[in-house]
Amino acid sequence: MAMTGQSSCASMSNHTKERVTMAKVTLENFYSNLIAQHEEREMRQQKLEKVMDQEGLADEEKRIRRSEHARKETEFLRLKRTRLGLEDFESLKVIGRGAFGEVRLVQKKDTGHVYAMKILRKADMLEKEQVGHIRAERDILVEADSLWVVKMFYSFQDKMNLYLIMEFLPGGDMMTLLMKMDTLSEEATQFYIAETVLAIDSIHQLSFIHRDIKPDNLLLDARGHVKLSDFGLCTGLKKAHRTDFYKNLNHSLPSDLTFQNMNSKRKAETWKRNRRQLAFSTVGTPDYIAPEVFMQNGYNKLCDWWSLGVIMYEMLIGYPPFCSETPQETYRKVMNWRETLTFPPEVPISEKAKDLILRFCCEEEHRIGAVSVEEIKSNPFFEGVDYDHIRERPAAIPINIKSIDDTSNFDEFPDSDILTPTTTQVSNHSEADLKNKDWVFINYTYKRFEGLTARGAIPSYMKSGKR
């Protein structure tokens, strides 16, 4: 009988194996969600008690506050059971587009709240083996409850797409800001780099490495302060999120001597002319990636500090240090950074700024931040920065917001049919096929407590454009 059992197990079809895996994942997620929900509820209760003690509330006031909190918790449990879908949002405008989907400005119909909806095509995620990346992005957005990280309120899915409903940051992104300016002053650079240090450190404290720190992923809120976004390439130090990174860049093409011989002004103009195309392509730009990431011999959170050094160089000089007309040539320059990381004499910057850039962009074992983030924060370039209150001060460059749906700080994009499955898509993916593949996206749905319990109130700064 034992032999028969072994034989039947060995001959189990792939279909049966997949169904067994699906059942296992479903059960694991069900019970882990129950535990997580209980822990989150306990944490919210503890946070309430701590705030009330700090405020020195009287017993009667505490009783009223606890009663209101209990009502919110009950409402949250009820609303969590309701199905959230596309029909709950009105699409207003496309504000971003990438290789695997797009971002739209949307308004929730029952509350009037405005959000940024990130839409990702499932078929593309599966075809390009991006499921691990998407899980990582969703997981960190759930875990990260920080002023320095874009807040996700909901996530859900349908047959064709995955949806992330996030706070809308009307200031646009750092890439757009840098393209408007020739260069930033050292004072403005100090402000944005200091804020980004705090933002990167906030995710390092959660044991995540971002791996894709670049101006496109530094968003600006209504007051012009930095928030970190786009965790599609984020990897966990404690979590197993499978990743593939910039394939085939080690097959370097011939050097582009024309670009190398340009002066700094022409380099900046060429860089800005090609920048948007790189941002929206499947290849992306390897300009900000640390050399140890390309080598695939192992790396740690210090790779994010290298990327910040490249951004700092771009802010002060007008283009990143390794920019070229092809990703392959950029890759070659990054790998030969000891020879290619130079400062053009016609764009003078202070010795403090130059020193910090070289402390960011150097060998991993000598890189600033290896000891702790305090090593970065205490660098002479940041002299005078009040890290505890930096988010309360006016931003280096003020943002002008006229309304809750002001998209003037974003590029113009034509509308698309991503929300309307075409006949080809439907025929290529049968009902059974979609159902079988959907299990890899199980437990993707999420609803944040604040999102479901704050009903009907639009923040005053969003109404007036001020905060």
Side-chain angles (χ1 to χ4, degrees):
M1 290 294 289
M3 288 295 292
T4 306
Q6 288 175 3
S7 176
S8 62
C9 183
S11 62
M12 186 185 294
S13 69
N14 287 335
H15 173 75
T16 304
K17 288 178 182 176
E18 189 169 277
R19 300 297 292 183
V20 169
T21 304
M22 192 189 310
K24 179 175 176 289
V25 171
T26 303
L27 287 170
E28 286 176 351
N29 277 292
F30 175 77
Y31 287 108
S32 65
N33 277 342
L34 285 181
I35 295 168
Q37 286 171 23
H38 174 73
E39 290 175 347
E40 288 169 6
R41 186 168 183 144
E42 289 290 310
M43 284 178 62
R44 288 194 292 269
Q45 186 67 43
Q46 291 170 13
K47 186 177 179 180
L48 173 68
E49 296 295 332
K50 184 178 179 181
V51 168
M52 290 193 299
D53 288 341
Q54 288 174 346
E55 293 178 1
L57 299 182
D59 289 345
E60 179 60 19
E61 290 175 315
K62 285 184 177 181
R63 187 191 65 78
I64 294 170
R65 190 80 69 86
R66 289 190 190 106
S67 177
E68 290 174 350
H69 181 76
R71 179 184 57 76
K72 281 190 173 184
E73 288 284 2
T74 303
E75 182 186 18
F76 181 58
L77 288 174
R78 178 180 65 80
L79 291 170
K80 275 197 81 168
R81 290 191 289 269
T82 61
R83 186 177 178 84
L84 195 67
L86 268 181
E87 62 277 4
D88 296 296
F89 298 89
E90 180 184 354
S91 178
L92 303 178
K93 187 177 183 181
V94 178
I95 57 174
R97 185 159 289 144
F100 302 111
E102 66 184 31
V103 180
R104 290 185 175 223
L105 182 69
V106 298
Q107 189 164 30
K108 198 163 185 285
K109 292 177 180 177
D110 62 344
T111 64
H113 287 188
V114 172
Y115 300 100
M117 174 191 279
K118 186 173 184 176
I119 308 163
L120 299 165
R121 291 181 292 267
K122 283 185 179 180
D124 290 345
M125 298 296 103
L126 290 162
E127 183 183 345
K128 303 292 185 183
E129 298 181 346
Q130 297 290 307
V131 175
H133 297 165
I134 298 309
R135 298 299 318 194
E137 177 169 38
R138 183 253 182 219
D139 288 353
I140 193 171
L141 287 171
V142 168
E143 278 194 53
D145 189 10
S146 163
L147 287 172
W148 298 107
V149 175
V150 61
K151 190 181 289 290
M152 181 183 76
F153 290 98
Y154 316 103
S155 60
F156 57 91
Q157 59 181 296
D158 58 25
K159 291 176 183 177
M160 291 295 175
N161 301 316
L162 301 172
Y163 303 90
L164 295 168
I165 308 298
M166 297 179 289
E167 63 177 320
F168 171 55
L169 300 177
D173 60 41
M174 185 59 65
M175 179 186 77
T176 304
L177 181 66
L178 290 178
M179 289 184 68
K180 286 179 182 175
M181 320 281 286
D182 287 333
T183 56
L184 298 187
S185 67
E186 293 210 5
E187 183 182 6
T189 300
Q190 182 200 61
F191 171 80
Y192 291 119
I193 296 297
E195 288 211 330
T196 308
V197 166
L198 297 177
I200 293 172
D201 182 55
S202 73
I203 65 163
H204 286 176
Q205 288 182 31
L206 293 174
S207 298
F208 282 93
I209 314 171
H210 193 285
R211 296 203 316 166
D212 199 22
I213 301 291
K214 57 185 178 182
D216 323 43
N217 296 336
L218 303 180
L219 302 187
L220 302 173
D221 67 13
R223 296 178 58 241
H225 291 272
V226 169
K227 286 205 178 193
L228 204 51
S229 78
D230 203 337
F231 298 89
L233 289 178
C234 189
T235 186
L237 299 176
K238 297 178 182 175
K239 296 175 180 290
H241 291 127
R242 182 183 174 280
T243 52
D244 266 327
F245 214 58
Y246 290 108
K247 292 180 179 178
N248 301 322
L249 281 176
N250 55 337
H251 302 304
S252 186
L253 296 182
S255 297
D256 179 51
L257 297 174
T258 307
F259 198 94
Q260 285 181 342
N261 294 331
M262 290 181 185
N263 62 30
S264 60
K265 185 177 180 182
R266 285 193 61 207
K267 270 190 180 180
E269 289 170 353
T270 304
W271 167 251
K272 289 178 180 179
R273 190 166 59 247
N274 298 333
R275 186 61 173 87
R276 293 211 187 279
Q277 187 179 347
L278 282 168
F280 306 143
S281 70
T282 53
V283 176
T285 170
D287 281 270
Y288 308 93
I289 306 302
E292 65 266 23
V293 176
F294 288 129
M295 293 173 71
Q296 299 181 350
N297 293 329
Y299 52 87
N300 56 34
K301 64 184 181 182
L302 295 177
C303 67
D304 287 339
W305 299 129
W306 169 285
S307 303
L308 188 57
V310 176
I311 294 172
M312 182 175 169
Y313 183 106
E314 182 177 355
M315 286 178 173
L316 294 169
I317 305 298
Y319 53 88
F322 312 110
C323 68
S324 302
E325 289 193 350
T326 68
Q328 289 80 8
E329 178 62 14
T330 298
Y331 164 80
R332 188 193 66 78
K333 286 185 178 181
V334 171
M335 299 309 292
N336 293 285
W337 60 269
R338 291 174 182 83
E339 291 76 41
T340 57
L341 178 53
T342 58
F343 296 89
E346 64 268 28
V347 188
I349 62 173
S350 71
E351 288 303 314
K352 286 182 180 179
K354 194 178 295 186
D355 176 71
L356 180 56
I357 291 169
L358 293 174
R359 293 290 311 281
F360 279 132
C361 299
C362 65
E363 297 90 348
E364 192 179 358
E365 59 270 24
H366 299 139
R367 196 170 301 158
I368 192 170
V371 177
S372 74
V373 71
E374 296 303 322
E375 186 184 10
I376 301 174
K377 290 163 70 174
S378 60
N379 184 273
F381 180 76
F382 297 118
E383 185 179 356
V385 172
D386 181 359
Y387 290 100
D388 293 333
H389 302 97
I390 191 170
R391 208 169 179 93
E392 298 162 21
R393 63 161 278 190
I397 300 174
I399 302 292
N400 183 27
I401 306 298
K402 299 180 178 64
S403 64
I404 62 169
D405 56 355
D406 186 349
T407 58
S408 59
N409 294 303
F410 292 83
D411 286 338
E412 290 293 326
F413 294 91
D415 209 348
S416 74
D417 59 359
I418 193 171
L419 300 179
T420 310
T422 63
T423 308
T424 308
Q425 285 176 311
V426 174
S427 62
N428 287 347
H429 303 281
S430 67
E431 190 79 22
D433 183 42
L434 288 166
K435 192 173 182 180
N436 286 340
K437 287 181 176 178
D438 253 8
W439 74 268
V440 301
F441 298 110
I442 198 166
N443 198 34
Y444 193 78
T445 301
Y446 173 76
K447 298 183 179 77
R448 189 175 288 276
F449 180 77
E450 301 96 311
L452 286 183
T453 56
R455 304 181 58 80
I458 297 175
S460 58
Y461 81 90
M462 293 183 78
K463 293 177 181 175
S464 62
K466 298 177 182 177
R467 195 174 185 180

